[in-house]
Each structure stands twice: as C-alpha cells, then as structure tokens.
C-alpha cells in the first residue's frame, strides 16, 4: 500500500510541484492551502504531514501543535518547511519531527520524507 503524505502549503505552484515529485516517488498525496487543516489531516490520516510555517491565514507551527496534541494524529510525523531564520527553534517548539529550510532541493525533500517513512511497511 502506498504511503500517504498530506501537504499544507499556501503557494499553489509549490504545492503542486511537491505533490508531483512525491507521486513520482510512489507516494499518495493530498493537499490543503491553510492552517486550519487538522480536519484534512484527520480525514486523510496520512503517514506524514509537510507544512509550510508561513501561511496566509497563520502559522503552520500552530497546525503542528494541533496535530501533535490530537489523540488521532499525535503519532503522525510532521516536517515544518520555511525560509525563516529561526526555523530549527520553531520546529522544536511546536513538536515537529523535522524541518526543511526554504529554498530546498527536491532531493532534500525526498530524503526527509523517506527518513520518516522508511520504517513503515
């Protein structure tokens, strides 16, 4: 069974590019454009969530906290993505499992995803 990745990225072009790359790598993807995506995470029950920290309606770190505090989703790895200088601190503070500094190469994205999903069968 393919592993599912839920992407929260308000840049539609970047979201589509990430989805395309991950589908080519054999993953199923779903996406949302806003931080109020906890419903989408619960609906899709992905194996991993990629979330941009700077969203038009708030911060991805807030969504990360919601994911990590919800009993149905607390086990799901979250990778926080952003161009913020203090991304490492933000990721740690919100409970993210990893972070990717923008701009990143798609190979870095694939490595981060594979790292958190390789143990799943």
């Amino acid at each position: 069974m393919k592993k599912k990745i839920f992407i929260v990225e308000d840049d539609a072009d970047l979201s589509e590019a990430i989805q395309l790359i991950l589908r080519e790598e054999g993953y199923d993807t779903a996406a949302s454009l806003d931080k109020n995506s906890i419903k989408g995470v619960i609906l899709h029950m992905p194996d991993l969530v990629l979330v941009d920290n700077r969203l038009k309606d708030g911060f991805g770190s807030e969504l990360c906290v919601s994911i990590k505090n919800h009993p149905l989703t607390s086990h799901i790895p979250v990778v926080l993505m952003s161009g913020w200088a203090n991304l490492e601190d933000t990721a740690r503070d919100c409970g993210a499992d990893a972070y990717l500094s923008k701009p990143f190469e798609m190979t870095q994205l694939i490595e981060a995803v594979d790292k958190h999903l390789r143990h799943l069968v």
Side-chain angles (χ1 to χ4, degrees):
M1 183 190 308
K2 288 184 177 183
K3 294 173 187 141
K4 296 178 274 185
I5 301 171
F6 191 71
I7 301 149
V8 183
E9 170 60 64
D10 61 358
D11 179 328
D13 291 336
L14 181 55
S15 178
E16 186 58 38
I18 290 171
Q19 289 183 77
L20 180 65
I21 294 295
L22 292 174
R23 285 186 203 127
E24 287 177 1
E25 292 293 314
Y27 295 107
D28 279 338
T29 64
S32 178
L33 299 174
D34 61 50
K35 79 172 181 89
N36 297 313
S37 301
I38 188 70
K39 291 177 189 174
V41 174
I42 293 169
L43 175 68
H44 292 284
M45 287 307 290
D47 297 297
L48 180 115
V49 176
L50 295 171
V51 61
D52 182 24
N53 190 46
R54 183 70 176 172
L55 300 166
K56 290 178 181 150
D57 65 344
F59 297 97
S61 56
E62 295 169 348
L63 174 60
C64 180
V65 169
S66 295
I67 292 168
K68 293 301 185 177
N69 287 331
H70 196 288
L72 294 175
T73 59
S74 62
H75 68 283
I76 299 173
V78 176
V79 177
L80 196 64
M81 307 178 294
S82 184
W84 285 34
N86 63 345
L87 183 59
E88 182 177 4
D89 294 338
T90 302
R92 182 190 61 244
D93 292 347
C94 73
D97 297 274
Y99 64 92
L100 277 173
S101 296
K102 289 181 178 180
F104 52 81
E105 298 291 326
M106 287 300 172
T107 55
Q108 292 172 295
L109 172 71
I110 294 165
E111 287 171 7
V113 168
D114 287 347
K115 175 183 176 185
H116 291 284
L117 296 182
R118 85 176 83 135
H119 68 281
L120 300 177
V121 179

